[in-house]
Amino acid sequence: MTKSGRRPLMAGNWKMNLNWREAHLLVQQLAARLNEQQLTDVEVVVLPPFVDLRSVQAAVEEGKLKIGYGSQDISQHAKGAYTGEIAGSMLTALGCTYAVMGHSERRQYHSESDEIVNAKVQAALASGLTPIMCVGEGLDIREAGNHVEYTVAQLDGGLKGLTAEQVEKVVVAYEPVWAIGTGKTATPEDAQEVIGALRKRLAELYPGGTADKVRILYGGSVKGSNAAGIMAKPDIDGALVGGAALDAEDFSKIVCFSEN
Ligand code: 13P
């Protein structure tokens, strides 16, 4: 454990990549590169497409792997006539422990508002899943200097109505949109500025130690070569990794950031 007892979390968001066979193989390749100690020091999670979850579950169970998995989205509804949606209870039945909501790609292409993100956080918690709630500003907002207030407002909206006990279970991921898939990583200082402000806001909203328990990740062009610098910052508890998570070697280097 580091940073006030918060265990580092490295989560690989595979986005819309890999079929079920490729997913099975990647989990095995990743596990082969990590030893018991590394998987104890750092929590490792993969977030495959829905249709790969069953084969990821099989790989994890067959190998008794200490790798968690979850979904990239979740329905805000529990069940019923919502064509194309996936409910939290379906995810827990597959052994998922995490669900992402509010990723910038879903905010942008699927009109996911803070209200919807909030409903999805509540749906995940109601199903016993740990929400990974994403926030982050676009380039225009960053250039106007409004990135802190913008992301803090997303945090407020996404957590609306939650108790302190519920918020302690939430993982927040700060992903500046301009750094996603562009190779432009925010500097560790840029990431710390916003993540520190998010933690400060949590302390204001939930006095009494909640803010110290919530894990806040950085995402956006994280690689084996830059993970250690990002993780050196006091409020950054892990990474939400896109492209590099599709490569077992690079993702395992991120997991082992403390050895670099
Ligand atoms: P990249 O690591 O490919 O920039 O993607 C980040 C991301 O969006 C993870 O959710």
Side-chain angles (χ1 to χ4, degrees):
M1 297 276 184
T2 56
K3 298 180 189 169
S4 314
R6 298 188 299 269
R7 184 178 175 210
L9 169 62
M10 295 301 178
N13 174 8
W14 294 359
K15 308 193 179 184
M16 196 172 72
N17 294 291
L18 309 184
N19 65 32
W20 68 270
R21 285 177 211 279
E22 294 161 338
H24 191 273
L25 185 63
L26 180 56
V27 171
Q28 289 179 323
Q29 288 172 337
L30 180 62
R33 290 179 176 274
L34 295 166
N35 65 33
E36 185 85 13
Q37 189 61 49
Q38 290 159 337
L39 287 167
T40 304
D41 292 346
V42 174
E43 184 177 358
V44 177
V45 167
V46 295
L47 304 160
F50 287 122
V51 292
D52 294 351
L53 286 169
R54 185 79 176 105
S55 68
V56 168
Q57 177 187 37
V60 167
E61 287 183 355
E62 283 156 17
K64 296 191 173 44
L65 310 178
K66 277 185 158 178
I67 292 179
Y69 52 93
S71 61
Q72 298 170 16
D73 186 26
I74 179 174
S75 174
Q76 61 187 292
H77 305 291
K79 64 186 260 190
Y82 300 102
T83 302
E85 295 279 282
I86 304 289
S89 60
M90 298 171 182
L91 299 170
T92 50
L94 282 166
C96 289
T97 50
Y98 284 89
V100 175
M101 62 286 301
H103 192 281
S104 63
E105 287 147 19
R106 295 208 60 88
R107 289 181 188 261
Q108 187 179 349
Y109 307 132
H110 302 273
S111 309
E112 211 164 287
S113 63
D114 286 337
E115 292 70 36
I116 294 173
V117 172
N118 179 244
K120 290 183 175 188
V121 170
Q122 307 221 25
L125 290 169
S127 306
L129 294 160
T130 299
I132 301 179
M133 187 186 89
C134 304
V135 298
E137 82 286 356
L139 189 58
D140 50 336
I141 292 161
R142 159 81 39 179
E143 284 177 343
N146 297 330
H147 45 288
V148 170
E149 59 185 281
Y150 183 86
T151 48
V152 165
Q154 287 181 321
L155 182 82
D156 286 358
L159 299 181
K160 205 168 176 187
L162 299 190
T163 64
E165 203 187 7
Q166 287 177 311
V167 170
E168 282 173 18
K169 295 182 188 141
V170 175
V171 172
V172 177
Y174 168 57
E175 299 203 310
V177 180
W178 49 272
I180 294 178
T182 56
K184 264 192 217 167
T185 325
T187 63
E189 290 69 31
D190 289 337
Q192 169 61 32
E193 180 196 17
V194 175
I195 290 177
L198 294 174
R199 197 176 303 285
K200 192 160 152 266
R201 179 64 177 157
L202 287 173
E204 280 166 20
L205 291 173
Y206 303 94
T210 300
D212 293 332
K213 295 189 184 139
V214 174
R215 288 186 293 180
I216 311 183
L217 315 182
Y218 167 76
S221 301
V222 177
K223 302 183 270 290
S225 55
N226 61 21
I230 292 163
M231 290 302 290
K233 292 295 172 192
D235 287 301
I236 306 180
D237 303 314
L240 185 56
V241 184
L246 298 171
D247 182 273
E249 189 181 345
D250 210 14
F251 192 52
S252 60
K253 280 192 192 138
I254 294 171
V255 173
C256 302
F257 68 92
S258 64
E259 298 165 30
N260 295 329

